[in-house]
């Protein structure tokens, strides 16, 4: 299908992409984890676009605690899997889902008010791009090359050959 | 296969990265938090808690309502009585928008031990509306043709007065002379002379008098008091309060009811002391637009803003007032201004100083109003060390030139553009506020306050305090002294506008400094 001229270079670039996305998620998660005052309330309450009612529903008293913790745990999970290189496929899926939620809460549709955004976007914004990057990571896992998975799979191979 | 050094490097390489990111995130967040709590500790601001009032024991307090118009209906709801029409309207509103919680809030309100025993409204439609909803087997209610009759009937212990301004003092004085407790709507009086008579009546009466400045119950104002007393923003030299409205309702163009006619309205009782004019629906429903019955911006809205600050600063009556303005946005036959600027001078007032003794003293209170633009200008208190934005929420910014915070600002621990304190008790309560005008009042802390995160009608708290004091004794928040200060200050603004002169207060003699050839009350009532 595609001819890859330098496979090594591609794998290294993929590792870099995975590490940077993991880095970004982990930092976002840690910042929220260590700040007891953080809440997703404002982000959800100001949601725009067709799914607004769903996000508003998440702000009610019984949901908001779950939304906050779910977000924190998911961010850290994605961060750890991608940075450490283990269960990276799961990390990529959760990451893509999170980003889809972020995108849908404040979609860059031209007919929707753009609240608190830096930069200018028309349908495609940075969340959407990072989402696609997660999909690529899912397609091209690299943890057997760089990551804990390398150690585990080696062990497996070693025990098998024994 | 062998486990090589290369394997270890590539297998574990993510761990130090993880450690670095984790450490950076945690360290930054914790450091920021520490810095914030260090600032907060230094500021040591104590958010106020609601004061507990003793309950109303014994027989229900029998209340008479005088004036059951827009405000009268709201006051009855605060007492626990809503008309069937209102309930139906709110039920429909909630059906349409689940965030519309007016009915649910009303039903959740604590019950007060009161009976609505009397209604006195000179418009048959309004009086009947009250009877239809409130005269029930549980609550016997009777209509009285005049307030004098009701005050002498022996059937009411207390009255709530929500009539046009020119009726406030005569009605309150009559009740107090009969030892009937009074909850009187603002502005307290319509002329300078009756302000003294009402004060006399309140002092001599056994009954409890409360003026209807419900924002005194708003917790953010009580917290603001603590902020000022602790010298958080230093010496306040300028206060800016504003009215910004840009709709006909906000300019007092209220609806004219189709049932209104000389047959359904006791016109002479409406006029009272006002000049005799033929029956006029415009005057009856939109009385705020004429000096004969109301006092325009100075009495209707400045009085709120003045008292909001008087309750925080206790600054009293200004030494002098200068005002100007005109009728620029609603040239519809009204004679009160719709654009008004008032400067009140307090040359001897001081909120405490972080600078050498004697350097700072004196303050100007500015009220700036237009009924032709709705841009939201918040209330701000401008001190040498900081700026306080006052409303249902409070925000404090440090000042770049502050003496108190010099070190913190130099060390970059404070930044003049970033608030050092924010008080937002309702942060997690979404509001479903209906109209622009009600948002205007809500922002000013005139509609509700937050107790433990729940929204509570401040008028309910204000009336409960009044009733508790009537039954159990104890002080009210807005008694006759506070009312006297509000009334005189508002009248000084109105007079200065009308006369185009500086109006001065003699605090020793407790009277306006006379101006030769001028009768103040005549000037105040004149239809210029
Ligand atoms: N504290 C607040 O936030 C607040 C808010 C709104 C109004 N107010 C005050 O409430 C008062 C009433 O305002 P409103 O908007 O309800 O006016 P309104 O015109 O809607 O109501 C006045 C009512 O008084 C009745 N009335 C007039 N003369 C009477 C008399 N001699 N005897 C008995 N009834 C008489 C009228 O029939 C009418 O029903 C004003 O003084 C206003 O300043 C205070």
């Amino acid at each position: 299908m595609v001819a890859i001229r330098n496979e090594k270079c591609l794998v290294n670039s993929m590792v870099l992409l995975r590490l940077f996305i993991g880095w970004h998620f982990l930092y976002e998660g840690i910042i929220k984890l260590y700040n007891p005052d953080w809440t997703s309330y404002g982000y959800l309450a100001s949601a725009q676009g067709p799914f607004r009612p769903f996000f508003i529903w998440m702000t009610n008293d019984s949901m908001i605690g779950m939304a906050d913790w779910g977000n924190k745990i998911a961010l850290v999970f994605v961060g750890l899997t991608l940075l450490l290189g283990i269960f990276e496929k799961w990390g990529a899926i959760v990451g893509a889902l999170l980003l889809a939620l972020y995108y849908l809460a404040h979609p860059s549709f031209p007919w929707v008010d753009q609240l608190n955004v830096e930069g200018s976007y028309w349908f495609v914004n940075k969340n959407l791009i990072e989402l696609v990057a997660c999909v690529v990571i899912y397609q091209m896992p690299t943890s057997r090359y760089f990551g804990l998975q390398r150690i585990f799979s080696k062990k497996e191979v070693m025990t098998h050959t024994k | 296969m062998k486990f090589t050094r290369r394997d270890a490097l590539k297998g574990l390489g993510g761990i130090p990265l993880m450690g670095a990111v984790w450490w950076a995130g945690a360290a930054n967040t914790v450091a920021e938090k520490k810095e914030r709590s260090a600032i907060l500790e230094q500021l040591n601001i104590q958010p106020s808690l609601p004061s507990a009032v003793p309950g109303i024991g014994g027989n229900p307090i029998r209340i008479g309502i005088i004036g059951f118009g827009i405000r009268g209906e709201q006051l009855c709801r605060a007492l626990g009585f809503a008309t069937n029409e209102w309930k139906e309207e709110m039920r429909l509103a909630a059906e349409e928008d689940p965030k519309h919680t007016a009915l649910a809030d009303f039903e959740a309100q604590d019950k007060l031990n009161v009976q609505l025993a009397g209604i006195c409204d000179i418009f048959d439609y309004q009086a009947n509306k009250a009877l239809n909803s409130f005269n029930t087997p549980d609550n016997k209610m009777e209509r009285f043709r005049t307030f004098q009759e009701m005050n002498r009937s022996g059937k009411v212990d207390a009255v709530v007065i929500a009539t046009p301004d020119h009726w406030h003092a005569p009605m309150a004085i009559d009740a107090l002379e009969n030892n009937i407790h009074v909850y009187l709507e603002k502005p307290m009086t319509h002329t300078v002379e009756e302000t003294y008579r009402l004060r006399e009546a309140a002092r001599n009466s056994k009954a409890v008098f409360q003026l209807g400045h419900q924002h005194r119950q708003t917790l953010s104002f009580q917290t603001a008091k603590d902020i000022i007393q602790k010298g958080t923003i230093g010496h306040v030299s300028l206060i800016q309060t504003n009215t910004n409205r840009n709709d006909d309702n906000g300019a007092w163009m209220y609806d004219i009811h189709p049932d209104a006619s000389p047959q359904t309205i006791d016109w002479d009782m409406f006029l009272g002391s006002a000049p005799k004019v033929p029956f006029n629906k415009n005057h009856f429903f939109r009385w705020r637009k004429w000096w004969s019955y109301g006092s325009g911006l100075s009495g209707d809205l400045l009085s709120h803003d003045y008292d909001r600050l008087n309750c925080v600063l206790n600054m009293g009556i200004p030494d002098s007032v200068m005002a100007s303005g005109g009728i620029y946005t609603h040239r519809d036959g009204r004679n009160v201004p719709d654009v008004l600027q008032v400067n009140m001078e307090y040359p001897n007032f001081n909120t405490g100083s972080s600078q050498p003794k004697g350097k700072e003293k004196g303050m100007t209170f500015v009220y700036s109003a237009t009924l032709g633009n709705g841009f939201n200008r918040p209330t701000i208190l401008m001190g040498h060390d900081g700026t306080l934005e006052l409303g249902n929420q409070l925000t404090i910014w440090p000042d770049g030139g502050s003496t108190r915070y010099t070190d913190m600002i130099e060390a970059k621990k404070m930044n003049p553009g970033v608030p050092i304190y924010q008080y937002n008790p309702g942060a997690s309560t979404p509001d479903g506020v209906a109209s622009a005008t009600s948002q205007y009042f809500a922002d000013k802390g005139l509609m509700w306050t937050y107790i433990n995160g729940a929204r509570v009608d401040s008028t309910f708290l204000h009336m409960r305090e009044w009733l508790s004091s009537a039954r159990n004794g104890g002080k009210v928040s807005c008694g006759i002294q506070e009312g006297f200060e509000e009334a005189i200050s508002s009248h000084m603004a109105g007079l200065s506008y009308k006369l185009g002169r500086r109006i001065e207060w003699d605090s020793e003699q407790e009277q306006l400094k006379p101006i030769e050839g001028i009768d103040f009350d005549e000037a105040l009532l004149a239809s210029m």
Side-chain angles (χ1 to χ4, degrees):
Chain A
M1 186 191 68
V2 266
I4 293 162
R5 266 181 297 146
N6 188 337
E7 200 163 323
K8 185 112 195 255
C9 267
L10 175 68
V11 173
N12 282 335
S13 312
M14 279 307 299
V15 169
L16 215 53
L17 181 65
R18 195 195 82 204
L19 290 177
F20 280 9
I21 292 182
W23 179 309
H24 180 210
F25 271 81
L26 184 63
Y27 193 75
E28 284 283 12
I30 295 299
I31 290 275
K32 297 179 173 71
L33 204 59
Y34 281 81
N35 178 3
D37 297 333
W38 176 82
T39 165
S40 57
Y41 183 86
Y43 194 81
L44 296 173
S46 60
Q48 302 286 314
F51 297 99
R52 179 177 159 78
F54 167 72
F55 293 106
I56 296 286
W57 170 76
M58 303 245 294
T59 61
N60 78 37
D61 285 349
S62 51
M63 289 303 298
I64 189 73
M66 272 206 279
D68 284 353
W69 274 105
N71 190 40
K72 282 189 246 192
I73 291 171
L75 282 170
V76 172
F77 172 77
V78 176
L80 289 180
T81 52
L82 298 191
L83 260 187
L84 295 178
I86 184 149
F87 309 132
E88 61 180 325
K89 282 193 155 192
W90 284 107
I93 293 175
V94 174
L97 286 177
L98 265 188
L99 288 161
L101 285 176
Y102 299 162
Y103 181 80
L104 291 176
H106 292 266
S108 299
F109 300 161
W111 58 87
V112 158
D113 278 341
Q114 303 296 306
L115 300 172
N116 300 325
V117 286
E118 90 314 0
S120 321
Y121 305 107
W122 191 65
F123 291 103
V124 173
N125 69 10
K126 289 183 194 166
N127 281 335
L128 208 54
I129 297 170
E130 198 168 11
L131 188 156
V132 173
C134 283
V135 173
V136 173
I137 289 174
Y138 179 84
Q139 310 285 348
M140 294 191 69
T142 50
S143 58
R144 274 163 188 269
Y145 172 68
F146 186 95
L148 287 177
Q149 198 62 45
R150 180 180 183 122
I151 292 173
F152 292 131
S153 55
K154 257 259 164 93
K155 261 193 188 154
E156 242 168 67
V157 178
M158 283 195 283
T159 41
H160 271 285
T161 46
K162 235 183 199 173
Chain B
M1 268 181 121
K2 260 186 62 196
F3 208 78
T4 61
R5 224 185 87 172
R6 170 184 283 264
D7 287 333
L9 271 178
K10 290 199 166 171
L12 305 174
I15 293 177
L17 285 180
M18 176 204 79
V21 172
W22 195 298
W23 171 83
N28 282 347
T29 318
V30 170
E32 220 169 81
K33 234 174 50 199
K34 251 205 196 135
E35 229 159 69
R36 286 212 61 76
S37 48
I39 293 177
L40 287 179
E41 226 164 79
Q42 203 209 346
L43 297 179
N44 184 26
I45 295 164
Q46 303 297 333
S48 294
L49 294 172
S51 47
V53 291
I56 303 153
N59 292 331
I61 298 183
R62 299 168 306 163
I63 298 179
I65 305 296
I66 309 179
F68 188 64
I70 300 170
R71 185 61 183 162
E73 291 198 28
Q74 294 169 355
L75 292 168
C76 285
R77 287 201 290 276
L79 289 170
F81 293 80
T83 62
N84 301 332
E85 293 88 341
W86 182 84
K87 283 193 214 162
E88 180 57 16
E89 205 181 305
M90 293 305 119
R91 198 183 58 74
L92 291 176
E95 238 167 50
E96 220 165 80
D97 173 8
K99 292 234 147 154
H100 201 288
T101 57
L103 185 58
D105 289 350
F106 169 75
E107 278 162 357
Q109 189 176 281
D110 287 346
K111 298 282 168 279
L112 295 171
N113 184 17
V114 296
Q115 180 198 347
L116 289 197
I119 171 79
C120 169
D121 195 296
I122 52 161
F123 181 19
D124 290 342
Y125 175 82
Q126 286 301 115
N128 290 333
K129 191 176 181 183
L131 286 177
N132 287 341
S133 291
F134 306 154
N135 187 21
T136 61
D138 296 338
N139 183 79
K140 281 273 153 254
M141 188 185 219
E142 189 178 328
R143 178 176 181 187
F144 295 90
R145 291 286 155 182
T146 66
F147 65 92
Q148 293 97 332
E149 205 186 306
M150 184 156 85
N151 288 343
R152 286 162 187 74
S153 67
K155 291 179 178 163
V156 299
D157 311 311
V159 289
V160 171
I161 302 171
T163 48
D165 301 356
H166 68 304
W167 269 116
H168 287 183
M171 288 173 169
I173 292 171
D174 191 70
L176 289 168
E177 285 178 351
N178 287 285
N179 292 320
I180 288 173
H181 307 294
V182 172
Y183 185 98
L184 175 62
E185 263 312 331
K186 45 54 59 174
M188 190 173 87
T189 61
H190 196 228
T191 67
V192 177
E193 174 271 329
E194 66 187 14
T195 310
Y196 292 88
R197 271 196 295 124
L198 176 51
R199 184 171 69 168
E200 238 1 74
R203 282 176 175 170
N204 295 333
S205 176
K206 292 197 195 76
V208 174
F209 174 87
Q210 170 104 297
L211 185 63
H213 281 299
Q214 66 274 12
H215 59 77
R216 285 197 175 241
Q217 307 294 333
T218 301
L219 297 180
S220 57
F221 290 90
Q222 298 170 20
T223 304
K225 206 170 173 168
D226 186 53
I227 289 171
I228 299 296
Q229 275 167 4
K230 294 213 163 103
T232 314
I233 62 169
H235 173 74
V236 176
S237 55
L238 182 64
I239 293 174
Q240 248 185 245
T241 66
N242 310 282
T243 291
N244 305 280
R245 295 177 172 186
N246 198 10
D247 56 309
D248 282 345
N249 192 55
W252 313 306
M253 298 293 289
Y254 300 137
D255 291 343
I256 289 179
H257 198 277
D259 286 4
S261 76
Q263 283 70 51
T264 56
I265 289 174
D266 185 344
W267 182 245
D268 284 335
M269 250 333 240
F270 169 78
L271 288 178
S273 59
K276 300 283 168 261
V277 295
F279 179 76
N280 185 326
K281 296 181 195 179
N282 212 4
H283 282 214
F284 184 76
F285 290 102
R286 300 167 175 175
W287 51 264
R288 283 172 172 84
K289 302 198 305 183
W290 291 277
W291 288 105
S292 305
Y293 327 105
S295 38
L297 287 163
S298 52
D300 200 47
L301 296 171
L302 161 65
S303 59
H304 277 304
D305 280 295
Y306 167 83
D307 192 70
R308 286 164 73 227
L309 281 136
N310 200 25
C311 95
V312 172
L313 298 176
N314 203 8
M315 72 253 181
I317 298 169
D319 284 26
S320 70
V321 176
M322 293 255 262
S324 70
I327 303 168
Y328 303 148
T329 70
H330 288 78
R331 301 167 58 83
D332 57 4
R334 67 182 63 202
N335 62 23
V336 299
D338 46 30
V339 174
L340 182 72
Q341 319 303 314
V342 178
N343 294 318
M344 298 187 168
E345 301 302 334
Y346 294 90
N348 296 310
F349 186 70
N350 198 330
T351 55
S353 175
S354 56
Q355 296 196 83
K357 209 167 142 45
K359 182 176 174 207
E360 298 171 308
K361 193 170 85 169
M363 171 183 89
T364 300
F365 171 104
V366 177
Y367 172 73
S368 166
T370 173
L371 299 183
N373 176 290
F375 189 78
N376 176 35
R377 293 178 295 167
T379 298
I380 49 179
L381 284 74
M382 308 176 85
H384 170 68
D385 295 311
T387 305
L388 168 65
E389 184 180 327
L390 175 76
N392 233 334
Q393 305 172 15
L394 304 172
T395 310
I396 303 172
W397 288 268
D399 196 89
S402 157
T403 305
R404 179 171 169 170
Y405 304 125
T406 318
D407 295 347
M408 299 276 245
I409 289 173
E410 268 172 16
K412 299 257 184 298
K413 283 189 178 158
M414 281 187 185
N415 174 342
V418 179
I420 46 174
Y421 182 80
Q422 229 154 2
Y423 171 86
N424 185 2
S428 65
T429 326
D431 292 340
V433 184
S435 72
T437 310
S438 61
Q439 184 65 58
Y440 167 88
F441 282 117
D443 288 345
K444 283 177 179 265
L446 293 172
M447 290 189 47
W448 51 72
T449 183
Y450 292 93
I451 297 179
N452 299 330
R455 205 157 87 182
V456 180
D457 179 1
S458 38
T459 303
F460 161 77
L461 296 172
H462 205 45
M463 298 189 97
R464 184 179 70 172
E465 181 192 79
W466 165 60
L467 292 166
S468 172
S469 156
R471 177 66 37 102
N472 309 305
K475 242 184 92 61
V476 290
S477 308
C478 200
I480 193 65
Q481 180 56 28
E482 290 81 7
F484 183 81
E485 292 169 2
E486 175 246 37
I488 296 290
S489 304
S490 301
H491 293 326
M492 287 171 79
L495 281 168
S496 177
Y497 165 76
K498 294 191 105 173
L499 297 169
R501 306 179 64 152
R502 180 190 288 273
I503 306 297
E504 293 178 302
W505 176 247
D506 182 338
S507 56
E508 304 256 298
Q509 301 288 320
E510 285 212 299
Q511 62 176 30
L512 297 176
K513 288 191 186 157
I515 301 180
E516 223 185 277
I518 288 188
D519 176 327
F520 284 134
D521 281 336
E522 214 169 84
L524 208 46
L525 294 173
S527 60
M528 59 179 248

